[in-house]
Every structure is written in structure tokens, then in C-alpha cells.
Amino acid sequence: MSINSEECFDVVIVGAGFAGLYMLHRLRGLGLTARIYEQGDDVGGTWYWNRYPGARCDAESLAYSFGFSEELEQEWQWSERYSRQPEILQYAKHVAERFDLLRDIHFGCRVNSVEWNEQRRRWSVTTEQGDRVTGQYCIMATGCLSVPQLPAIEGLDSFAGNRYQASQWPHQEVTFSSQRVGIIGTGSSAIQAIPVIAESAGKLTVFQRTPNFSVPAKNNLLNRDWVNQFKSNYRAHRENHQKGIGSGFGDLDIEPLAEAREPILMDSIDSGQAEQLLQAAWTRGGAIFLGAIGDTMMNESTNQFVQKFVHDKIRTIVNDPETATSLCPGNHPIGTRRICVDIDYFETYNRANVRLLDLRKSPISKITATGVETASEFVELDTLVLATGFDAMTGALLGMDIIGQDGVQLRDAWAEGPKSYLGLSVNGFPNLFTITGPGSPSVLSNMLVSIEQHVDWITGCITYMGDNGFTSICADQSAQEQWVGHVNDVANGTLFPKGGSWYLGANVKGKPRVFMPYAAGVGPYREICDQIAEAGYRGFRFSA
Ligand code: N01
């Protein structure tokens, strides 16, 4: 264990996922010194940890990639429409090497304390491994879905077979052949893993508490001519992802959405046209299905129309009517929980070796050494997979001691839920920035689009401070309150709060129920951030 006595940096970054990597690159461009601390043993963040079978991105490869370097975007070749986890991890490594970032990253180091020193106007950052450094700025690039959530089920630890967690998957190969496998959870992770595990497992039992809406990815190998054509117009596509109506997931390239400047609302079309739009989006594949009818997330009756469309699809795909009924979500409007994007998920239930166990009819009572006991039966298992989600958005931040002005802990400041200005800065925590923090579009958007926007904004802000002789910046209390109020108002104007999802902290016992992301979309959010910067960073206080 090496103890460095107070190395000083301009900036200390926590996390070497895409946010941390791009942030470091931009800070280098400003001539600043920076150190990244990363808990994992390599770059990649979420793509380093989430190695479960079938893990891949639910945004399209050419949209889920960096746009800051034209050379990078031209030279890197994605192989599939939705990239697999190993390819995305390879891309993260390539970015780190190409921009010579590795020399400023300390791996295997978990930051446990970040404390503001008012006299020195610097952050002291300490790691569990004994490093202690200071930075004028501290930037949290800790990811929104990086703290796994284990189910509170009696006897979980007594299971004597193989136990895997989707978000902490082993680095060595895991095989399922001829085994009796059980999986708990039916969120995005499980919906990707189930079809792949089913291919080799002897028998797969899916323990489903809440069915989820999922749309087909329609994945394919990318055609080089199509890619070249797309890349020849990359700037226009990027602009569309950053400012368009689809939250950055890709181009709304179905008729007549491609030409529409405004979303097409249900009121402006008849039900036959609405069906056609949904069918076109379903056939096209991907999460932009939710954008096919523009008021799906705002209007209850539109949402019900879209729900019924998906229910009908499930009933058409799944042969067994009882299983199909169990798979039809009924307790939340579509899109209010993160929509899943799948490859043959519903089709998998037609396999003879796959069985859905509906926990709403027969809840899990306990886990024993040999399997899972429900109210109606005991399921013997060789292998148990947990795909039970994350303590999202605030988990990683509140897992550290972040101590701001007057010794206030972030976890106390956020006791009633996260409060920030723009999801970037917190009152009482000067020179601390959060990339894709609560209060910004983050998890509702293509994360790469949001990461680049935040990093660019922070870079602009630090440049402005240097140019004007400022040494510290802090969000103003009243600006923060107004922003939090605005984030809540926007959420309350949508159906999101009805989802009871991790967006609201509803999956973590005792977590305040606050809708955390900003739901107005990446385009409007970017405009607000830019206007605030142009107005001399309105709502922030600077000190010389
Ligand atoms: O987690 P989740 P996830 N007994 O929270 C169930 C992103 N992501 O890891 O809903 C039984 O969605 C729980 O049931 P319920 C994406 O943003 C992206 O799958 O609480 N079940 C639910 O079914 C996504 O939304 C990608 O009733 C229990 C499941 O576990 C986010 O990560 C891929 C239980 C958790 O689902 C999280 O997805 C993967 C219990 N005690 C993930 N406790 C891509 O980009 C929990 N559950 C592709």
C-alpha cells in the first residue's frame, strides 16, 4: 500500500468510464493537471463491470460513441447495430490509449472521502488504498448505475450452487450447459441475458415479479456502405442526436417522423395512422419506439394505446396464453420504467427449456442451499443469477463521504432526495461537478450524448473561471431550489412519476421518492445550460 502525502492536482476525477475519460482529455487540452481514481482494474465503467451474457448497448452504436474527435469516429468500426459489451469495452480502451489517458489513471482505487477545505479552497480526496491528494476541482464521473442492488430475500447467502450477479459478472467464462438455472429479475439486464442463457442451459426458470415493456432491437451486422454513408454525414447526425426530439438514441428515421420538425401527437392522427406509426417503429427496432407518437409520455390515453399495441405483440409472439398474460405489463405506463430493447426475449418463452414463474401469483418465500422456494413450489437450481438492479443515480455519490462547506455531508444535504443545479453542481459544494448527475437528462438519454454535453460545459466553465481570475464556483441556493422545482414540475407534467421505478428510487428501501432525471429532453436541456453559460453562469457564485 503506497501512501502519497498530498500530491496536488488541478482536478481530481472519480471514475474512468466514458465520462471520466473524456473529462481528462478535455482538461489536458486546457493544460491542467488531473488524476483519475478508478475502482475497477481497467477503463470502461459500466462496460467494465456489466459482462453478463447478452450484455450490449440499447442505443445504436453509431449514436452511442464519442463525437468529439472526427478522426476517432471515422476510424473506429462498429460491427453491429447494437454493440456487444466486449466491443464497447474495447472502444473505451482504444479511446484511453489513443488519447494517451492511461498514465493519469490509478486503477483499483476506491475513493472513500472527498472533503472541501475552505481555507485552501481545495478538495482533499482519499482512497481506501491510502492515496491522499488534493484538487482545486473534483469531478464525479461515477456513473448512474454503478452500485448493485441485491434482493432482500431470506436465505440468499445460503445458496450452495453457483451464484452470479449480472452487474458483477466474473471475468472468466461462465457456462450453463445442462444446468438448472434460475434468474431473478426481468429488467433490461435480465431481458438481455435470458435469451442467451436459454440457449445453453438445461432448464431456465425466470422468476418475474414485475413484467417489463420491451421492444425488439432488430439488431444486425452493420453494412459497410451504409456506415460509410452515415459517417459522411456524421455532423448532421450528431446534431440531430444532441438537439432532436429523440433524447439522443438515434435518428427517427421512419416515415413520416423523419421529416417532422415537431413530434406527431395522437390528437393529430387517427388510430389507424397511430398503429402504422407504431408498427413502423416496431419494425425499425429500438428505444425510439417511444418517440413514435409524441405524447406517449404525457398523455394517459395515448400511453394506453401504445401499451395495448405492445400487449398484442406479446400475445402474438408467445405461444402459451397464460405465459403471455404474465408477461404483459399492467402496473405502469409504458416508458415510465426504462423501456427494454431485446433480441428474441418474448420468443424465448416458446422454448421447451424455459419457464416463467410469475411471482405475483406465487412470491418467493426463501432461498435455500439447493434452490428457490415460492409460495406454491420449490425450484431446484444448480445456478442462480441475480439481475436485480442498482441503487441508481445517487448510490455511488452517497457511498462516499463527500463533505462540503461547514462540514456538511452530501448525504445529509440530500436526505430528502438529490438537490442540484442543472444536475452539475450542488450548493455548499464548491468546485465539485457531477457528470450526468440527478437533475440532468442522464439516464433518460443516450448517455454518451449527455456525457459529452456535460464535459464540454464543465470545460467551458473552468476556462471562463481561469480567464476571469476566479478560483471557486458554487451553485446559488435559490438557483438550485428553482431548478429542483423545475425538474419536479417537468416530471409531474409527464407520466414518469407513475412508473414506481428506479428513476424514483422506488427499488431501494428507505430511499426518498424523488424523480431524479430531468425529463424535458437533451435538446431543451442543452439550450438552458448554454444560455446560463452565456449569461455569465447565471445562478452560480464565483470567488476570486
Ligand atoms: O435492473 P432493473 P437492471 N424479488 O432495476 C427485480 C440500464 N441497463 O439491471 O420491478 C424479485 O431494471 C425487479 O423487479 P421489480 C438500464 O437503464 C442498460 O435490469 O422490483 N425480483 C426487476 O425486474 C436499466 O433500466 C442496459 O418488481 C426482484 C429487476 O429485479 C438499468 O440499467 C442493459 C427483487 C431489476 O431490474 C437497470 O437494469 C442493462 C426481489 N426481491 C441495464 N428485487 C443497456 O444499455 C429486484 N427484483 C442495454
Side-chain angles (χ1 to χ4, degrees):
M1 185 185 297
S2 75
I3 299 191
N4 298 329
S5 53
E6 293 248 322
E7 269 185 275
C8 296
F9 296 92
D10 294 316
V11 187
V12 180
I13 301 168
V14 187
F18 285 122
L21 293 179
Y22 181 42
M23 192 72 248
L24 175 59
H25 174 66
R26 291 303 310 269
L27 294 169
R28 289 251 191 91
L30 297 182
L32 299 179
T33 59
R35 156 82 51 87
I36 297 187
Y37 283 112
E38 165 56 52
Q39 191 173 350
D41 289 330
D42 207 339
V43 298
T46 197
W47 299 107
Y48 170 84
W49 297 103
N50 287 270
R51 298 165 182 253
Y52 57 85
R56 66 171 78 224
C57 193
D58 60 2
E60 296 185 32
S61 310
L62 282 118
Y64 190 86
S65 54
F66 281 126
F68 69 84
S69 160
E70 288 194 31
E71 295 79 18
L72 172 67
E73 69 185 6
Q74 290 298 331
E75 77 198 8
W76 182 265
Q77 295 294 342
W78 295 106
S79 51
E80 293 178 74
R81 180 175 175 189
Y82 298 89
S83 301
R84 291 170 196 264
Q85 173 270 337
E87 194 168 63
I88 304 175
L89 188 58
Q90 208 45 50
Y91 175 72
K93 289 180 184 183
H94 172 74
V95 169
E97 281 161 18
R98 193 188 191 289
F99 297 98
D100 186 26
L101 302 175
L102 294 170
R103 63 188 156 92
D104 286 329
I105 308 175
H106 278 208
F107 292 106
C109 286
R110 186 183 180 279
V111 169
N112 56 6
S113 158
V114 174
E115 186 166 3
W116 175 248
N117 183 318
E118 187 71 33
Q119 273 178 341
R120 295 168 70 191
R121 306 195 77 66
R122 293 182 74 78
W123 286 98
S124 288
V125 178
T126 316
T127 71
E128 265 176 17
Q129 289 63 31
D131 276 30
R132 188 177 168 83
V133 298
T134 73
Q136 183 187 350
Y137 299 94
C138 183
I139 299 180
M140 294 297 170
T142 40
C144 294
L145 295 157
S146 47
V147 178
Q149 177 76 2
L150 283 177
I153 301 175
E154 187 194 325
L156 179 62
D157 289 334
S158 67
F159 184 66
N162 312 307
R163 190 181 112 184
Y164 305 109
Q165 207 174 322
S167 51
Q168 309 253 291
W169 204 260
H171 288 212
Q172 60 276 21
E173 198 191 350
V174 171
T175 54
F176 301 101
S177 77
S178 316
Q179 293 173 28
R180 296 161 302 176
V181 182
I183 181 164
I184 299 180
T186 46
S188 296
S189 304
I191 281 176
Q192 289 186 329
I194 286 164
V196 179
I197 296 174
E199 278 170 22
S200 61
K203 206 169 163 195
L204 174 63
T205 306
V206 178
F207 295 91
Q208 172 193 269
R209 192 163 64 180
T210 309
N212 252 311
F213 285 103
S214 187
V215 296
K218 303 280 180 186
N219 186 45
N220 51 255
L221 288 177
L222 285 172
N223 171 293
R224 283 298 132 221
D225 291 339
W226 180 85
V227 170
N228 291 341
Q229 200 190 355
F230 189 97
K231 285 188 171 185
S232 68
N233 203 17
Y234 227 143
R235 297 276 64 72
H237 289 298
R238 295 282 189 205
E239 179 140 337
N240 188 17
H241 303 161
Q242 291 163 354
K243 299 179 183 165
I245 55 179
S247 276
F249 279 99
D251 300 277
L252 286 166
D253 49 3
I254 53 168
E255 295 298 332
L257 286 182
E259 282 81 39
R261 294 199 160 268
E262 298 291 332
I264 296 176
L265 307 182
M266 190 74 183
D267 270 358
S268 64
I269 48 179
D270 61 34
S271 59
Q273 291 169 313
E275 285 268 349
Q276 272 176 20
L277 266 176
L278 292 173
Q279 184 56 49
W282 185 271
T283 306
R284 180 204 180 278
I288 67 161
F289 176 81
L290 282 180
I293 303 178
D295 54 343
T296 301
M297 297 310 300
M298 248 81 78
N299 183 321
E300 196 109 39
S301 70
T302 305
N303 193 288
Q304 278 163 8
F305 187 90
V306 182
Q307 287 181 50
K308 181 175 177 308
F309 179 90
V310 179
H311 287 165
D312 290 348
K313 288 289 182 198
I314 295 170
R315 290 184 200 284
T316 310
I317 297 168
V318 179
N319 296 337
D320 174 46
E322 198 184 333
T323 304
T325 300
S326 286
L327 285 166
C328 284
N331 75 338
H332 62 279
I334 186 168
T336 57
R337 291 175 174 218
R338 169 81 166 210
I339 190 99
C340 303
V341 177
D342 72 87
I343 299 177
D344 294 340
Y345 174 62
F346 294 116
E347 287 82 350
T348 298
Y349 290 97
N350 294 333
R351 295 178 66 111
N353 68 335
V354 177
R355 181 173 165 234
L356 182 76
L357 229 152
D358 190 338
L359 300 179
R360 291 168 304 176
K361 293 182 187 158
S362 178
I364 294 176
S365 40
K366 64 176 178 198
I367 293 175
T368 72
T370 52
V372 175
E373 186 179 297
T374 72
S376 59
E377 64 182 290
F378 183 75
V379 182
E380 269 193 77
L381 297 174
D382 304 303
T383 295
L384 177 62
V385 176
L386 303 173
T388 46
F390 300 87
D391 180 356
M393 299 198 77
T394 55
L397 294 169
L398 301 184
M400 291 174 270
D401 286 329
I402 301 182
I403 304 164
Q405 286 173 321
D406 304 321
V408 174
Q409 283 261 7
L410 187 66
R411 62 175 75 93
D412 292 329
W414 284 8
E416 292 162 6
K419 293 187 176 115
S420 81
Y421 185 35
L422 301 174
L424 272 162
S425 172
V426 184
N427 174 256
F429 296 80
N431 290 8
L432 181 94
F433 293 108
T434 50
I435 300 178
T436 64
S440 72
S442 59
V443 290
L444 297 181
S445 66
N446 173 347
M447 289 303 281
L448 265 272
V449 169
S450 286
I451 285 169
E452 278 198 319
Q453 186 251 334
H454 264 189
V455 169
D456 291 342
W457 191 94
I458 293 167
T459 306
C461 179
I462 291 177
T463 306
Y464 173 86
M465 289 174 65
D467 290 348
N468 290 279
F470 296 132
T471 54
S472 78
I473 177 173
C474 196
D476 197 59
Q477 173 77 28
S478 64
Q480 176 169 296
E481 275 169 21
Q482 274 178 34
W483 182 253
V484 171
H486 174 63
V487 171
N488 287 334
D489 290 347
V490 170
N492 290 333
T494 70
L495 302 174
F496 277 115
K498 294 180 188 282
S501 72
W502 57 260
Y503 293 147
L504 274 162
N507 64 330
V508 179
K509 202 172 167 212
K511 192 164 171 171
R513 298 286 185 272
V514 174
F515 189 77
M516 295 182 280
Y518 180 54
V522 292
Y525 174 75
R526 176 182 294 265
E527 236 176 273
I528 294 169
C529 290
D530 289 349
Q531 284 165 4
I532 285 172
E534 279 157 26
Y537 294 87
R538 190 177 56 230
F540 288 95
R541 271 180 289 114
F542 291 100
S543 311

